[in-house]
């Protein structure tokens, strides 16, 4: 269950990265809705930082849980 939750968090973070860099919402584009978002520069920076954090967290999907506890 933890890996599924982490994968969803990463997908969400990558979506915010796309919003921050390109003002394009992948989830809305795939599921229907307005895929273009107009945002202020500060919010785009925050979205991009969240997305970069998601990229960083990808490595945690591949860590053995038993190894992480020791």
């Amino acid at each position: 269950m933890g890996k599924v939750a982490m994968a969803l968090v990463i997908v969400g973070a990558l979506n915010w990265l796309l919003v921050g860099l390109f003002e394009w919402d992948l989830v809305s584009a795939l599921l229907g809705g307005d895929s273009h978002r107009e945002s202020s520069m500060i919010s785009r920076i925050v979205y991009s930082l969240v997305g970069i954090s998601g990229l960083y967290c990808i490595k945690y999907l591949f860590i053995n849980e038993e190894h992480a506890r020791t």
Side-chain angles (χ1 to χ4, degrees):
M1 188 66 162
K3 298 249 185 210
V4 172
M6 179 64 75
L8 289 172
V9 168
I10 291 169
V11 168
L14 295 177
N15 187 62
W16 282 119
L17 180 63
L18 292 172
V19 170
L21 295 179
F22 307 112
E23 295 184 357
W24 188 68
D25 187 339
L26 175 65
V27 174
S28 287
L30 292 176
L31 301 177
D34 187 16
S35 62
H36 184 74
R37 291 177 174 248
E38 301 244 353
S39 305
S40 70
M41 182 56 75
I42 293 173
S43 63
R44 290 182 66 194
I45 290 169
V46 171
Y47 296 152
S48 297
L49 291 172
V50 170
I52 291 167
S53 298
L55 288 173
Y56 178 79
C57 288
I58 290 173
K59 72 179 185 177
Y60 294 113
L61 284 175
F62 303 104
I63 291 178
N64 185 346
E65 291 180 18
E66 290 298 320
H67 179 68
R69 290 184 191 147
T70 59

